[in-house]
Amino acid sequence: MHFLGGHVLDQQSPSEMFLNHLTVLFALSFRPFHVEPRNIVGDEVQERVSAEAAALSSRVHYYGRLTASSDRLLVPPDHVIPSPEDIYIYSPLGTAFKVHGGDSTPKNPSIVTIFAIWNTMMGTSILSMPWGIKQAGFTLGIIIIVLMGLLTLYCCYRVLKSTKSIPYVDTSDWEFPDVCKYYFGGFGKWSSLVFSLVSLIGAMVVYWVLMSNFLFNTGKFIYSECLFSPPFLICSAGLITGPVFDRWWSKTNTIPFYLIILLLPLLNFRSASFFARFTFLGTLSVVYLIFLVTYKAIRLGFHLDFHWFDSSVFFVPEFRSLFPQLTGVLTLAFFIHNCIITLMKNNRHQENNVRDLSLAYLLVGLTYLYVGVLIFAAFPSPPLSKECIEPNFLDNFPSSDILVFFARTCLLFQMTTVYPLLGYLVRVQLMGQLFGDHYPSFLHVFILNIFVVGAGVLMARFYPNIGSIIRYSGAICGLALVFVLPSLIHMISLQRRGELRWPSAVFHGFLVVLGVANLFGQFFM
């Protein structure tokens, strides 16, 4: 028989796929035999197998005689193996049929990939963007958003390309921690895991704080029935809420503990597939937030007065020394580096990965700029000072605002479904590394969930500032996964190939220094 293989299996190179098919088909020790490209049934001479296919078979058989299939150095090169759509088995009777491999996972077009990245990055950071611009200053804030978007895009590109720089090794199923392990050993793998967990647990803490906030305001809206209704916006520093709310409904004293009853059982589910069905709510929430911001900006108008370095009663300078707080928020806002390889594997046209990644970052950056700039510009100063802009800009609107009430309710439900997914990712990464099993036992999982939930409750009770939580967790995880590890891996790869030049070394060294400075800046600003 004349064999030309089968479909390329997921996470296998064409060469390995071909050899796997040969191994399976000849498991009973039948030696393959070659059929000339002629019909052997009937009298007329008719080509059923092309001469090109026959020559291809000869070349592959030649490679097979050079070494065993376990030796990766002399396996048939990828250019020798035909593309999946051209792979057939030709029988001695002159017929041909396809061998279907096990990869049935559909690939996504570019537009789906772009919006998948956009949806993944659009998290709670969008609520803190106006506050971050206020901390940096209006002009400097816009500049920093653009520059941080470009820097994080480049570092994400380096992560995406990191698997391609490893020679003689099949990296088709590798993630970034595997690349770190290849270059730095166990330290690289565990350090990437720890910093990835920091980003996930930090997001879960922010979610707990926000869910406490949204549940409190939702209950307050229902209870008070709009008894206290300021006309447009409020400054929480001087807020008078009218009648004292019942002591059993407090944003920091009781609500964070009520959430335990709802969310702790959900974290112990063995599978998170049920909650994955609601991920589309994230997209709907962002779209509604954009509508809400646009509506409020049109209604309030713009209130800007440029003071380049000096403060005034109602306005902040255009350039402020607190700008590292915005860079910390943006590090987490643009963070997708720990899963970008997985997302891009499902892209139908792999040659467009860089373009699609760049377009996704452009959409994310424009969304952050749109929300941050409009809320900052529309904040009514006077009578209120720009300093009143809250880390969660929804807190500047009264509980009785029906549009904001709807936004809080939608975000509360969306976060309630996403929170178990984040807990599942934490469990998979940590338990998988420690015990080799994603669910070693109920006791193991329960203890881990107690720790994660306890961190959220403590922060919601004693430090419910989502802007600061986001910037600290963003700067910590960004130090390793955004700036340091991608830059070091790229420089080591170039050095091993003898291609490292001083401009590249200087630039990537600067990225490492920038990541360190971004982290230390959070503690001194």
Side-chain angles (χ1 to χ4, degrees):
M1 300 181 72
H2 196 96
F3 291 91
L4 295 181
H7 281 308
V8 179
L9 296 178
D10 188 24
Q11 303 175 348
Q12 286 185 320
S13 69
S15 305
E16 291 176 314
M17 169 277 302
F18 186 85
L19 292 175
N20 287 343
H21 277 302
L22 290 182
T23 302
V24 173
L25 292 171
F26 302 130
L28 299 178
S29 301
F30 290 105
R31 291 181 58 83
F33 57 90
H34 178 68
V35 178
E36 294 297 330
R38 301 280 180 181
N39 181 19
I40 64 174
V41 180
D43 297 329
E44 61 176 291
V45 177
Q46 180 182 3
E47 287 194 350
R48 293 296 185 92
V49 179
S50 67
E52 180 183 0
L56 173 63
S57 176
S58 298
R59 289 199 300 271
V60 174
H61 288 171
Y62 169 73
Y63 280 108
R65 294 188 185 100
L66 289 177
T67 184
S69 61
S70 60
D71 191 338
R72 297 180 178 272
L73 295 179
L74 294 175
V75 296
D78 290 349
H79 70 270
V80 172
I81 307 301
S83 58
E85 61 270 14
D86 296 327
I87 298 176
Y88 295 86
I89 288 181
Y90 293 91
S91 77
L93 299 179
T95 58
F97 57 92
K98 281 183 175 292
V99 174
H100 295 284
D103 184 13
S104 60
T105 304
K107 299 297 183 180
N108 298 324
S110 292
I111 187 66
V112 174
T113 302
I114 291 170
F115 278 97
I117 298 173
W118 175 81
N119 188 38
T120 304
M121 275 198 281
M122 281 288 108
T124 56
S125 301
I126 193 173
L127 299 175
S128 296
M129 212 52 60
W131 173 82
I133 292 178
K134 182 255 294 185
Q135 296 299 93
F138 184 66
T139 302
L140 183 58
I142 294 175
I143 295 173
I144 288 177
I145 292 176
V146 175
L147 292 180
M148 285 294 294
L150 293 175
L151 287 176
T152 52
L153 168 61
Y154 175 76
C155 294
C156 194
Y157 165 77
R158 291 266 61 97
V159 171
L160 185 62
K161 293 294 183 180
S162 61
T163 58
K164 309 299 182 183
S165 63
I166 301 176
Y168 311 125
V169 178
D170 177 23
T171 60
S172 57
D173 61 341
W174 281 25
E175 299 294 341
F176 192 56
D178 299 308
V179 179
C180 296
K181 182 180 180 180
Y182 175 83
Y183 283 99
F184 304 110
F187 171 79
K189 183 175 183 178
W190 281 103
S191 62
S192 62
L193 173 65
V194 169
F195 285 105
S196 178
L197 289 175
V198 168
S199 67
L200 290 172
I201 295 177
M204 294 183 74
V205 169
V206 172
Y207 269 45
W208 200 277
V209 175
L210 285 174
M211 286 186 292
S212 301
N213 183 309
F214 296 151
L215 182 59
F216 169 77
N217 284 285
T218 301
K220 182 178 178 181
F221 174 84
I222 297 173
Y223 178 81
S224 63
E225 297 181 352
C226 306
L227 293 178
F228 176 71
S229 181
F232 298 114
L233 292 170
I234 58 176
C235 182
S236 62
L239 176 61
I240 302 175
T241 57
V244 178
F245 210 164
D246 188 86
R247 65 188 182 95
W248 295 105
W249 197 259
S250 170
K251 185 174 11 180
T252 58
N253 294 331
T254 59
I255 300 296
F257 298 93
Y258 294 160
L259 288 174
I260 297 177
I261 302 174
L262 171 65
L263 294 175
L264 183 58
L266 299 181
L267 289 176
N268 295 294
F269 283 16
R270 185 178 293 271
S271 173
S273 58
F274 172 76
F275 305 103
R277 302 175 185 177
F278 299 95
T279 53
F280 71 94
L281 292 174
T283 303
L284 297 180
S285 299
V286 174
V287 171
Y288 181 76
L289 278 178
I290 293 174
F291 160 75
L292 177 65
V293 167
T294 304
Y295 174 79
K296 294 297 183 180
I298 293 174
R299 187 177 182 185
L300 294 170
F302 287 170
H303 304 266
L304 293 173
D305 189 13
F306 294 93
H307 298 266
W308 296 106
F309 299 102
D310 299 325
S311 301
S312 65
V313 177
F314 298 106
F315 298 94
V316 298
E318 299 300 304
F319 297 85
R320 304 184 72 182
S321 60
L322 297 176
F323 69 89
Q325 298 186 8
L326 177 59
T327 63
V329 171
L330 290 172
T331 306
L332 192 62
F334 286 114
F335 181 72
I336 198 174
H337 301 63
N338 60 343
C339 61
I340 189 60
I341 296 177
T342 301
L343 288 173
M344 283 304 188
K345 282 179 182 177
N346 295 323
N347 198 11
R348 181 178 301 166
H349 301 287
Q350 291 292 303
E351 67 276 9
N352 296 332
N353 277 352
V354 176
R355 182 201 67 182
D356 296 344
L357 178 64
S358 303
L359 290 176
Y361 262 83
L362 177 63
L363 281 178
V364 172
L366 290 177
T367 306
Y368 288 150
L369 279 172
Y370 186 84
V371 173
V373 169
L374 255 64
I375 290 295
F376 182 90
F379 197 84
S381 302
L384 302 178
S385 171
K386 298 290 187 184
E387 289 286 0
C388 288
I389 297 178
E390 293 290 320
N392 171 13
F393 76 84
L394 293 179
D395 285 345
N396 287 114
F397 296 94
S399 300
S400 56
D401 190 313
I402 186 64
L403 293 178
V404 178
F405 163 76
F406 185 71
R408 287 173 174 141
T409 304
C410 292
L411 286 170
L412 174 62
F413 182 71
Q414 182 246 336
M415 290 182 179
T416 303
T417 59
V418 172
Y419 188 85
L421 286 175
L422 295 176
Y424 176 78
L425 293 176
V426 171
R427 183 212 312 167
V428 167
Q429 292 192 17
L430 186 59
M431 296 295 183
Q433 291 298 323
L434 292 179
F435 304 103
D437 187 356
H438 300 164
Y439 202 99
S441 71
F442 174 80
L443 181 61
H444 288 82
V445 174
F446 185 74
I447 292 175
L448 173 63
N449 292 335
I450 287 292
F451 170 77
V452 174
V453 168
V457 171
L458 289 176
M459 295 302 290
R461 172 67 179 87
F462 298 104
Y463 193 69
N465 187 324
I466 67 164
S468 294
I469 300 172
I470 290 174
R471 66 185 180 93
Y472 282 120
S473 58
I476 292 173
C477 72
L479 171 66
L481 299 179
V482 177
F483 295 106
V484 175
L485 290 177
S487 300
L488 290 180
I489 287 174
H490 182 60
M491 287 192 289
I492 293 174
S493 174
L494 292 177
Q495 191 273 334
R496 290 181 178 179
R497 300 198 304 264
E499 300 175 2
L500 181 62
R501 302 293 181 266
W502 71 264
S504 178
V506 170
F507 175 72
H508 292 92
F510 168 74
L511 291 180
V512 173
V513 174
L514 192 63
V516 175
N518 183 40
L519 176 60
F520 281 97
Q522 309 309 314
F523 297 95
F524 297 102
M525 295 295 176

